[in-house]
Amino acid sequence: MSQEPVNWRKSSRSSTQTNCVEVGRTTDGAAVRDSKDRTAGHITTTHHQWRTFLQALKTDHFD
């Protein structure tokens, strides 16, 4: 994935928190970065990886 992520956003549930991550869109998936240190870079995932990760979060798979 060589495209730079766009449309970075933070969860609406973290509006009062300072320890947050931001998610941006890429052509083939998503990118994640630390909202406190945006210059540190980001990690990217494919669309399939991101969808699998979100599904695991929604089903409390990480308990």
Side-chain angles (χ1 to χ4, degrees):
M1 284 181 259
S2 59
Q3 180 197 16
E4 279 298 308
V6 296
N7 300 330
W8 289 100
R9 63 187 179 95
K10 193 167 56 165
S11 170
S12 60
R13 294 180 186 240
S14 64
S15 61
T16 61
Q17 303 294 320
T18 58
N19 299 324
C20 303
V21 295
E22 294 175 319
V23 177
R25 292 181 182 252
T26 64
T27 301
D28 186 39
V32 181
R33 69 182 178 190
D34 182 348
S35 64
K36 293 184 316 265
D37 189 4
R38 295 178 178 131
T39 61
H42 58 272
I43 59 169
T44 57
T45 67
T46 65
H47 178 70
H48 175 73
Q49 290 167 331
W50 187 247
R51 186 176 54 221
T52 301
F53 173 70
L54 291 179
Q55 185 62 34
L57 286 175
K58 290 176 184 179
T59 58
D60 291 325
H61 191 72
F62 294 109
D63 281 345

